[in-house]
Amino acid sequence: MPATGFYSEPMRFPAYLLTKSGEVIRASVGELSDSDLPPGEVLIRVEWTAINFKDAMVTRPGNRVARRFPLVPGVELAGSVEESASPVCKAGQRVLVQGYDLGVAHNGGFAGYARVPAEWVVPLPDALSCRSAAIIGLAGFTALLSLHQLRHHGTVPHDGPVLVTGASGGVGSAAVALLSHAGYEVVASSGKTAEHEYLKSLGAAEVVGRQFAEDDGRTLGPQLWSGVVDCVGGAALALALRTVRYGGAVAASGLTGGNDLATTVYPFIVRGVALLGIDTVATPIEERRTLWDDMVAEFPLERCEDMVNEEIGLDGLTAALDRVLGAAVRGRVLVEPGRSG
């Protein structure tokens, strides 16, 4: 009898599994059974997921992201409920799971099935397919949270241009599309010249390089942006803070450019700039469900397919994770766990 009591015979399914021996982390595609799944009230057949930067980080020796091994990574998933012991969702319902311990301390989305606590589950709005939800995914959710934080701060479209750093990445692409759809003038910053037309197709009014303002050595730079969605961190975030207009705000969610921040207090005490931290891991579930209901109206769904860089199965994950870690991917890499070949 399986541990769940859901099946009379063990259920087997493909999974991308990380194991650790000493400091060496090994990845392999194998087969698990339902008895290998962690506890939870909801069993989900994973239809689609997508790669996030954190998924690449957990594969690296010495990382402080993964909190257990063996581990199925994948910090988000979209699929159909197979079995549920909770009134939150019922069998056959399309759902999304993101954040919390998924893919870092609890087996995640890179498998045919996942079992999760009911308090992590977001029922999908009728207008969103599992595929669309995976394309928008954690990247789009991060971008929507950033937009809401800027709005809460008081940043509105007529205040002036909003800068998006790391614009060709997953969060950046979603932010460009989302902000443009909301009526903001978007300036997209990317070091990838080949992606400039792609960013304009998502709604960017202007595309600039990584060095989006001249560094003349002054403590504060020119006042360029009414707001910033920073997906990079490091030097990009420091430069953004120096060039935000008086009373503006920076919504920061990324660290691909580094987790150090070399800045001064002057943007905050001379220009009244606000630094808004964006966390998508521990977002309270009711807020998460509300935001996903809002997503249908706020996100330009017609842009979804434009943001798909490639589609892979589990056997393509190792190479794709390396490309994501090396910032060699634009938009989203979709993963279909059931795909073969």
Side-chain angles (χ1 to χ4, degrees):
M1 177 72 69
T4 62
F6 290 157
Y7 295 90
S8 58
E9 295 294 334
M11 175 184 64
R12 304 198 68 81
F13 53 88
Y16 185 81
L17 189 67
L18 300 179
T19 56
K20 185 176 182 183
S21 176
E23 290 303 311
V24 177
I25 298 174
R26 293 184 174 85
S28 62
V29 178
E31 195 175 62
L32 297 180
S33 73
D34 56 319
S35 62
D36 296 310
L37 292 174
E41 297 81 28
V42 184
L43 180 69
I44 301 168
R45 179 171 61 84
V46 182
E47 297 181 20
W48 291 98
T49 181
I51 296 178
N52 292 276
F53 189 70
K54 186 179 286 187
D55 299 321
M57 290 175 66
V58 301
T59 67
R60 293 303 182 257
N63 79 81
R64 298 184 180 182
V65 180
R67 301 204 300 277
R68 54 156 280 191
F69 289 96
L71 175 70
V72 174
V75 296
E76 63 177 318
L77 62 88
S80 301
V81 174
E82 193 80 7
E83 297 282 352
S84 175
S86 168
V88 169
C89 51
K90 58 185 179 181
Q93 190 169 10
R94 289 174 294 106
V95 296
L96 177 83
V97 184
Q98 306 171 316
Y100 305 112
D101 285 338
L102 192 72
V104 294
H106 187 106
N107 280 357
F110 295 161
Y113 283 83
R115 187 186 296 125
V116 299
E119 59 266 25
W120 294 1
V121 176
V122 176
L124 284 179
D126 291 340
L128 282 182
S129 66
C130 289
R131 179 185 170 86
S132 294
I135 295 171
I136 297 170
L138 200 55
F141 183 73
T142 304
L144 185 59
L145 267 179
S146 300
L147 173 58
H148 279 216
Q149 288 281 8
L150 289 175
R151 281 177 176 160
H152 182 73
H153 178 75
T155 307
V156 294
H158 65 69
D159 286 343
V162 173
L163 176 72
V164 177
T165 65
S168 63
V171 177
S173 295
V176 170
L178 190 64
L179 286 160
S180 174
H181 186 66
Y184 291 83
E185 177 189 350
V186 180
V187 177
S189 168
S190 174
K192 301 175 182 176
T193 305
E195 306 300 352
H196 285 200
E197 289 305 313
Y198 161 71
L199 292 168
K200 289 180 180 178
S201 77
L202 293 180
E206 182 182 356
V207 183
V208 296
R210 288 194 182 100
Q211 191 68 27
F212 46 82
E214 184 179 351
D215 187 356
D216 57 8
R218 292 188 299 173
T219 302
L220 291 174
Q223 299 188 53
L224 301 175
W225 329 111
S226 66
V228 178
V229 174
D230 176 61
C231 314
V232 177
L237 176 55
L239 183 57
L241 287 167
R242 291 179 55 242
T243 52
V244 176
R245 294 179 180 178
Y246 186 90
V250 178
S253 62
L255 49 67
T256 58
N259 55 14
D260 293 329
L261 179 58
T263 189
T264 69
V265 299
Y266 286 104
F268 312 110
I269 66 174
V270 174
R271 290 187 179 165
V273 171
L275 179 57
L276 311 172
I278 306 299
D279 169 63
T280 58
V281 174
T283 308
I285 190 59
E286 289 306 323
E287 180 182 359
R288 194 182 294 271
R289 290 169 181 163
T290 298
L291 283 168
W292 271 98
D293 284 339
D294 292 344
M295 192 74 75
V296 173
E298 299 239 35
F299 199 91
L301 299 181
E302 69 276 8
R303 301 288 190 193
C304 280
E305 292 300 328
D306 297 337
M307 293 190 294
V308 178
N309 184 84
E310 61 179 314
E311 301 174 24
I312 61 173
L314 298 179
D315 56 351
L317 267 170
T318 296
L321 289 165
D322 286 341
R323 291 195 295 275
V324 168
L325 200 64
V329 170
R330 83 172 187 197
R332 301 283 276 164
V333 177
L334 289 188
V335 182
E336 188 178 13
R339 175 181 298 209
S340 59

